[in-house]
Amino acid sequence: MRTVARRWAGWWWLLPGLVLLGTFVYYPIIQNFQLSTYSWNAFTSTPTFVGMDNYREAWADPVFWRAVGNNTLFAIVSLIFQVAFALALAAILEEAVHQRLRGVLRTLYFIPAVISITVAGILFSFIYNPEFGLLNELLNAVGLDEWQRAWLGDRSTAMGSIIAMSQWQNFGYTSVLFIVAIQRIPREFYEAAKIDGAGPVRTFFTVTVPLVREMTTLLIILTFSGAFLVFNEVMVMTAGGPANSTHVLGTWLYFNAFMADDMGYASAIATVIFAITFVLAMIQLAYARRRRVEL
């Protein structure tokens, strides 16, 4: 009886957290899906049930698919820079850079992460300005005048310019997280690899990469989720323009909810964002659990 009582006592301790999660996380998700099956706006007294019509509208909406493509491009570039390159940089800082320089370099790489994304967006809007921006001035100074353009006003370069700014801001943050993970690896593994004749590259792929897998998994999930939740930098730098070419799902949701006042369609977009990030996170977690390495 005492064992059973102790087991139930554990559930009582969990109950407040479960209630908070249910109230502020899971219930809004369910309610959002319910709202996505209605046609309604801020001035509708009685919402009209439309079933899956809002999802059919999204399926036929070219701007929605452009937004999905922009989010996907954002995710792929972020995975390359904020996970792959950040891990390589962390390994170099820990293994190849003199100890006196490590602290300085870590600080230099981390500084952009403490700048507000809104402030960084405004700052890069000035850098990309076609009239007095530093980027065009730099290209002019090195003789690449033909590359000068309105970086945020040209459909072919606007999305790439926003993504570049985002990578600049987050690259140092993920590098520092990888440095913490690398510092937790016992030095005996590196010494054993050195005795076996492994060079820096082989040691990186046979020791560092497998033993920071949990941190890599976490950052992949956060990076992927963040890429599909991106909003501020796009709103600050282009607001979805020019000609809707830089809309992402977050800004297209905002536009439909608060500019077009189509709350039902906006709820459907929110459900799509949740479904994409949830499914990708579950796949990544399942994959990482099978390949987990114990120290």
Side-chain angles (χ1 to χ4, degrees):
M1 286 296 292
R2 183 173 297 177
T3 304
V4 174
R6 188 174 299 169
R7 188 179 302 166
W8 279 104
W11 281 102
W12 281 111
W13 284 105
L14 290 174
L15 188 60
L18 291 174
V19 170
L20 288 173
L21 273 176
T23 304
F24 295 106
V25 177
Y26 297 115
Y27 175 68
I29 291 172
I30 295 170
Q31 189 180 38
N32 180 76
F33 176 72
Q34 181 189 7
L35 292 173
S36 72
T37 60
Y38 286 84
S39 175
W40 62 289
N41 58 54
F43 304 101
T44 303
S45 57
T46 308
T48 305
F49 181 74
V50 295
M52 304 301 286
D53 281 1
N54 286 322
Y55 294 94
R56 294 191 189 95
E57 183 182 347
W59 183 264
D61 182 358
V63 181
F64 170 81
W65 287 110
R66 180 178 291 278
V68 172
N70 285 337
N71 279 115
T72 304
L73 177 64
F74 214 110
I76 293 171
V77 175
S78 297
L79 286 177
I80 293 171
F81 280 90
Q82 296 180 35
V83 179
F85 286 0
L87 175 57
L89 175 66
I92 291 170
L93 287 176
E94 280 302 296
E95 301 301 326
V97 175
H98 193 278
Q99 193 168 1
R100 291 183 178 178
L101 281 176
R102 289 178 192 170
V104 177
L105 291 175
R106 287 176 199 159
T107 304
L108 288 176
Y109 284 117
F110 189 74
I111 283 176
V114 302
I115 300 174
S116 160
I117 187 68
T118 304
V119 174
I122 295 172
L123 173 66
F124 270 75
S125 295
F126 287 121
I127 292 175
Y128 291 138
N129 190 288
E131 301 295 330
F132 54 81
L134 286 177
L135 182 54
N136 277 349
E137 292 294 330
L138 178 63
L139 291 172
N140 184 46
V142 297
L144 297 173
D145 308 47
E146 67 276 10
W147 287 20
Q148 291 181 329
R149 64 190 66 209
W151 295 94
L152 297 177
D154 189 330
R155 295 181 61 177
S156 64
T157 57
M159 196 65 220
S161 301
I162 296 171
I163 293 174
M165 184 281 292
S166 182
Q167 305 314 307
W168 168 82
Q169 194 194 29
N170 294 307
F171 180 68
Y173 176 72
T174 53
S175 296
V176 170
L177 293 179
F178 273 125
I179 287 172
V180 174
I182 291 172
Q183 288 175 343
R184 290 182 62 244
I185 300 174
R187 300 307 303 172
E188 291 82 357
F189 289 95
Y190 289 102
E191 291 168 3
K194 193 173 182 180
I195 291 171
D196 289 342
V201 176
R202 187 178 170 192
T203 302
F204 174 74
F205 284 106
T206 56
V207 177
T208 304
V209 173
L211 295 180
V212 297
R213 182 167 288 131
E214 290 188 6
M215 179 60 77
T216 306
T217 302
L218 174 65
L219 288 178
I220 288 175
I221 293 172
L222 293 178
T223 302
F224 231 110
S225 300
F228 278 89
L229 298 174
V230 64
F231 177 80
N232 287 359
E233 47 268 65
V234 178
M235 285 301 293
V236 169
M237 297 176 75
T238 63
N244 293 326
S245 62
T246 59
H247 267 302
V248 290
L249 287 173
T251 56
W252 192 228
L253 182 158
Y254 175 85
F255 177 84
N256 281 282
F258 302 107
M259 306 295 283
D261 201 16
D262 188 351
M263 293 292 184
Y265 185 39
S267 301
I269 296 173
T271 303
V272 171
I273 295 173
F274 169 74
I276 292 172
T277 54
F278 179 78
V279 169
L280 290 174
M282 289 299 104
I283 293 172
Q284 186 60 40
L285 281 174
Y287 176 76
R289 189 171 297 168
R290 285 203 304 270
R291 296 178 63 86
R292 186 173 184 177
V293 177
E294 298 288 348
L295 291 177

